[in-house]
Amino acid sequence: MEAHIAEGTLLWEPSEVIRRQSNIRAYMDWLRQHRGLDFNDYDTLWKWSVTDIENFWQSVWDYYALQTSAPFDTVLAERKMPGEDWFPGARLNYTEHVMRNASKRFPALIFQSESAAAVEISWRQLHERVASVAASLRRMGVGPGDRVAAMLPNIPETLIAFLAAAAIGAVWSCCSPDFGTRSVIDRFTQIKPKVLLAVEGYTYGGRHYDRMDAVSHLTAALPSLTHTVLIGTADPDSGAAGPKKVLFWKDLLQEPAKLVCEQVPFSHPLWILYSSGTTGLPKPIVHSHGGILLELVKILGLHVDLKPGDRFFWFTTTGWMVWNFLQGGLLLGATPVLFDGNPGYPNLNVLWLLAAETGVKVFGTSAPFLMACRKAGLQPGRDFGLERLQAIGSTGSPLPPEGFQWVYDQVGKELLLFSACGGTDVCTAFLSGCPLVPVWAGESSCRCLGDKVAAFDENGRSLENEVGELVVTEPMPSMPVFFWNDPECRRYRDSYFDMYPGVWRHGDWIRITDRGSAVILGRSDATLKRMGVRMGSGDFYTVIESLPEVENSLIVGFDRPGGAYYMPLFVVLQQGLALDDAMKGKIKDKIRTELSPRHLPDDIFAVPDIPCTLTGKKLEVPVKKILMGIPVEKAVNLGSMGNPESMDHFIEMAARLNS
């Protein structure tokens, strides 16, 4: 029986050997030698990095020797958000920076799936395949700025296709094949891709899911397509039967080619990720070649401490920004370890066994996975050879103190455990860990270098040791350059700058301690996030309310004590209908097939009415706050509601949940 520990309990401190051998110590030594800057600890380094941001980011550029074919005019044209312009004049290419790390000493990638043992892909193989696919895309007429979309799982072909698209200056965008067809169409129709890469099916939990109907619907819904490329997961070169006018993966690899990397501006679009608001279509978030390159070498090099040859694993699907984060290990010469399948199949030991057999140094996962391992009584440190494991990253939701305790008790006492908080919006973490900083239970150890994170109250006043809105008060290179199809940046401004003009509001509740660590207390908006994948409630309403039996609905999600993420759905049924098991099954089947099997509600409740404003807007955030135990008078102004009596059900439910 493990002893209970409180939030803030000191669990780990870096040894002098760890400090001395870390990348960040080498960087601090470099600053002393080349910039005349002497920092004794992480706190003083962080304060400099968020105050003198121009010199900090140029120092990262110079330390990692980023290459350009044309020099930049200045680091940051003007300190403003949005509209910041980083390194104007510079021309570079993301893929070129990956390939300069090619080595005969280490593999480029390691890949394992549910049905196949781990295989290594050499840097030579990676280079040759990226070159061939890039040449094939050029022959298809794809050029700089054209969109290449993919509905692919976490397999090597996905990463190869991305690097090929980036090499020619095309814009990459990917959805996981387990997304519902409607979800994929809603995303890709906004960006009008020229080429689609799709998988004929995928395996999850021992079961094969055919996606050929989805491919057919998708190609029909995208008149912008000139080519569709089909990949068969059972045999990537098999050329499985598919829709008419389709190419196969083997067709893209037929001829050897020289890799030519298009030189593009720093702000040239690299990829489009998707984050959902509470209504409307998912937001197509555009990140830049230079911004992502600079951010990833910073966080993966200085915080995650990746070195050439390190085995870097994070469980993810291609629909989560962690996939983009994971492949960034290539920029440091590290070896990403890819896994495609169910992390709990055939049991929860599968990923720990993978880590042991492939010699993983950094093991990344989600807080719910760690809590599930704890609940199952797993003891990976005892059962597997994890001698090469040095760090564990947790994200997706805040890891509670008992999750920290389980890691140190059952995985390893000398690990750097970092609970990371960031998001799709910036494709990185604002809060993480560092080889120079201790680990405290239930906390992110530090704010990341270059990220001026603060907690604000509703009036824009900075708070310490109090809960406030997570804000970023200085620009970051990996902030979106724009949203696709948002020429006046209205949607972009409304998403992050509506509450505090000129200051990024992320949508999380945060408490920053006097040690500089931070605690995340869940989402402050109505976005739903499960396994790190965010989805707007509007996506649910479109699907659920298309059922003739459902008159209205409301869904919320929030973190419960103990680390569990709870997502209840409330429905108003047509008069005379009952919410029996058959009706619940019908609703869940609709969500599973048309939206996402990962976003099934934990519970479904029938309610007489859905709380709304006088203008009929659903009050998701007030309902979430009430269910989390926030007093009604602080959660909602009943006088602004069109139906205040509808809150009674949620007030009663909150009393049961929080008793």
Side-chain angles (χ1 to χ4, degrees):
M1 184 76 177
E2 61 184 25
H4 176 73
I5 59 170
E7 181 183 287
T9 300
L10 179 65
L11 296 175
W12 178 87
E13 289 189 86
S15 67
E16 184 52 41
V17 172
I18 290 174
R19 293 171 183 268
R20 186 173 61 250
Q21 295 179 351
S22 67
N23 290 337
I24 194 168
R25 175 59 67 85
Y27 167 69
M28 292 166 74
D29 292 342
W30 182 90
L31 286 174
R32 184 180 303 110
Q33 180 180 354
H34 294 275
R35 296 291 194 270
L37 297 169
D38 195 359
F39 301 107
N40 296 320
D41 55 28
Y42 181 83
D43 187 56
T44 54
L45 176 64
W46 177 81
K47 287 177 180 175
W48 168 73
S49 76
V50 298
T51 303
D52 193 357
I53 62 173
E54 293 85 357
N55 281 326
F56 166 70
W57 286 109
Q58 179 159 2
S59 78
V60 175
W61 181 295
D62 293 342
Y63 182 71
Y64 283 104
L66 302 190
Q67 299 174 346
T68 62
S69 57
F72 55 86
D73 303 321
T74 186
V75 174
L76 182 61
E78 183 182 355
R79 284 201 195 188
K80 64 175 184 177
M81 294 185 288
E84 64 275 14
D85 186 10
W86 289 94
F87 295 92
R91 298 185 73 84
L92 42 68
N93 187 277
Y94 184 94
T95 298
E96 186 173 46
H97 281 82
V98 166
M99 293 303 173
R100 69 179 185 165
N101 295 300
S103 170
K104 294 181 179 179
R105 297 168 56 204
F106 315 116
L109 301 172
I110 297 174
F111 170 66
Q112 180 174 313
S113 69
E114 281 187 10
S115 55
V119 295
E120 294 185 355
I121 296 173
S122 70
W123 276 98
R124 179 179 178 179
Q125 290 171 318
L126 179 66
H127 187 281
E128 290 175 348
R129 294 174 192 179
V130 169
S132 293
V133 175
S136 295
L137 289 174
R138 282 191 170 103
R139 285 194 296 271
M140 294 179 198
V142 179
D146 290 332
R147 276 74 65 207
V148 174
M151 186 179 72
L152 297 174
N154 188 17
I155 56 178
E157 290 80 8
T158 308
L159 183 47
I160 291 165
F162 156 64
L163 291 173
I168 65 176
V171 187
W172 175 258
S173 189
C174 188
C175 286
S176 176
D178 64 355
F179 274 30
T181 306
R182 180 195 294 271
S183 296
V184 181
I185 289 173
D186 284 349
R187 285 156 174 76
F188 289 166
T189 52
Q190 297 185 74
I191 66 170
K192 296 181 171 59
K194 198 167 190 176
V195 171
L196 172 70
L197 296 101
V199 71
E200 55 85 16
Y202 67 95
T203 299
Y204 190 83
R207 178 182 172 188
H208 184 75
Y209 294 84
D210 187 275
R211 296 299 284 155
M212 290 311 303
D213 283 347
V215 173
S216 296
H217 283 102
L218 192 53
T219 54
L222 297 172
S224 59
L225 292 178
T226 60
H227 295 83
T228 298
V229 179
L230 194 65
I231 298 173
T233 52
D235 178 358
D237 296 329
S238 66
K244 294 180 180 179
K245 298 181 181 179
V246 71
L247 296 174
F248 300 102
W249 181 250
K250 64 180 181 180
D251 299 327
L252 275 59
L253 299 172
Q254 284 183 343
E255 297 181 15
K258 179 182 179 181
L259 180 60
V260 179
C261 293
E262 189 79 21
Q263 298 300 295
V264 297
F266 185 95
S267 60
H268 185 81
L270 174 65
W271 56 47
I272 301 171
L273 305 182
Y274 300 91
S275 182
S276 299
T278 58
T279 59
L281 293 172
K283 300 188 292 285
I285 299 172
V286 182
H287 294 121
S288 69
H289 269 247
I292 290 297
L293 168 62
L294 193 57
E295 171 59 34
L296 289 184
V297 296
K298 178 212 75 175
I299 191 166
L300 293 175
L302 303 182
H303 285 271
V304 181
D305 201 44
L306 290 183
K307 299 178 175 68
D310 285 344
R311 309 292 177 89
F312 176 39
F313 170 78
W314 212 298
F315 176 76
T316 183
T317 70
T318 58
W320 189 8
M321 55 76 45
V322 174
W323 182 88
N324 306 72
F325 189 80
L326 171 63
Q327 63 78 32
L330 293 168
L331 295 168
L332 282 305
T335 302
V337 178
L338 313 180
F339 177 80
D340 180 42
N342 185 334
Y345 179 83
N347 55 58
L348 285 168
N349 278 321
V350 65
L351 297 185
W352 300 111
L353 181 59
L354 170 66
E357 292 180 341
T358 59
V360 165
K361 172 187 172 180
V362 179
F363 180 96
T365 184
S366 67
F369 175 80
L370 293 176
M371 295 303 291
C373 291
R374 173 181 178 269
K375 184 176 182 180
L378 266 59
Q379 296 179 292
R382 181 199 67 183
D383 297 337
F384 304 104
L386 298 174
E387 294 82 8
R388 295 180 63 181
L389 184 63
Q390 296 180 24
I392 290 185
S394 173
T395 192
S397 62
L399 183 66
E402 52 267 36
F404 278 73
Q405 181 180 16
W406 178 82
V407 168
Y408 283 106
D409 286 348
Q410 305 300 343
V411 185
K413 297 186 182 301
E414 301 303 322
L415 297 171
L416 167 59
L417 171 59
F418 55 97
S419 181
C421 171
T424 302
D425 320 77
V426 289
C427 201
T428 189
F430 299 119
L431 311 169
S432 188
C434 170
L436 302 181
V437 182
V439 174
W440 297 278
E443 300 180 359
S444 296
S445 294
C446 60
R447 289 168 282 185
C448 295
L449 295 176
D451 302 351
K452 196 167 186 180
V453 173
F456 271 16
D457 67 11
E458 62 273 16
N459 298 314
R461 182 174 63 93
S462 186
L463 305 171
E464 186 175 285
N465 279 320
E466 293 184 53
V467 177
E469 290 275 356
L470 190 163
V471 299
V472 184
T473 61
E474 293 287 1
M476 294 169 51
S478 68
M479 285 176 173
V481 284
F482 54 84
F483 286 176
W484 205 265
N485 290 334
D486 185 27
E488 297 180 359
C489 287
R490 183 175 303 168
R491 201 177 182 195
Y492 182 27
R493 290 178 184 274
D494 289 347
S495 296
Y496 309 112
F497 303 100
D498 60 339
M499 182 175 290
Y500 311 109
V503 172
W504 175 288
R505 181 182 73 94
H506 193 59
D508 282 321
W509 281 307
I510 184 175
R511 177 170 53 82
I512 298 172
T513 74
D514 52 12
R515 298 189 301 270
S517 60
V519 179
I520 296 296
L521 296 101
R523 296 293 297 171
S524 62
D525 61 18
T527 304
L528 302 153
K529 184 165 77 168
R530 179 160 273 169
M531 291 183 67
V533 180
R534 299 205 289 170
M535 191 166 288
S537 54
D539 288 337
F540 285 84
Y541 302 147
T542 299
V543 170
I544 296 164
E545 292 170 20
S546 67
L547 289 168
E549 297 90 345
V550 179
E551 183 178 308
N552 203 352
S553 62
L554 183 139
I555 190 164
V556 296
F558 53 94
D559 294 300
R560 296 279 294 144
Y565 186 78
Y566 184 55
M567 195 169 74
L569 169 66
F570 304 91
V571 295
V572 179
L573 298 179
Q574 296 293 344
Q575 188 173 1
L577 296 180
L579 185 65
D580 53 18
D581 289 343
M583 180 62 68
K584 290 180 180 179
K586 187 172 185 178
I587 293 171
K588 287 186 175 182
D589 285 342
K590 189 77 169 175
I591 295 171
R592 181 184 294 108
T593 57
E594 295 196 21
L595 197 62
S596 165
R598 300 180 191 274
H599 287 78
L600 294 178
D602 295 300
D603 288 305
I604 304 177
F605 301 97
V607 293
D609 203 2
I610 298 298
C612 63
T613 65
L614 293 169
T615 57
K617 182 180 179 181
K618 298 178 184 182
L619 291 171
E620 296 148 321
V621 173
V623 167
K624 181 167 78 169
K625 289 181 177 180
I626 288 171
L627 294 179
M628 291 176 69
I630 295 175
V632 177
E633 62 275 12
K634 293 186 177 181
V636 63
N637 178 5
L638 296 175
S640 67
M641 292 184 59
N643 53 352
E645 68 283 354
S646 64
M647 278 294 184
D648 293 345
H649 173 87
F650 301 94
I651 295 170
E652 293 170 4
M653 181 176 176
R656 296 193 301 271
L657 282 174
N658 298 290
S659 60

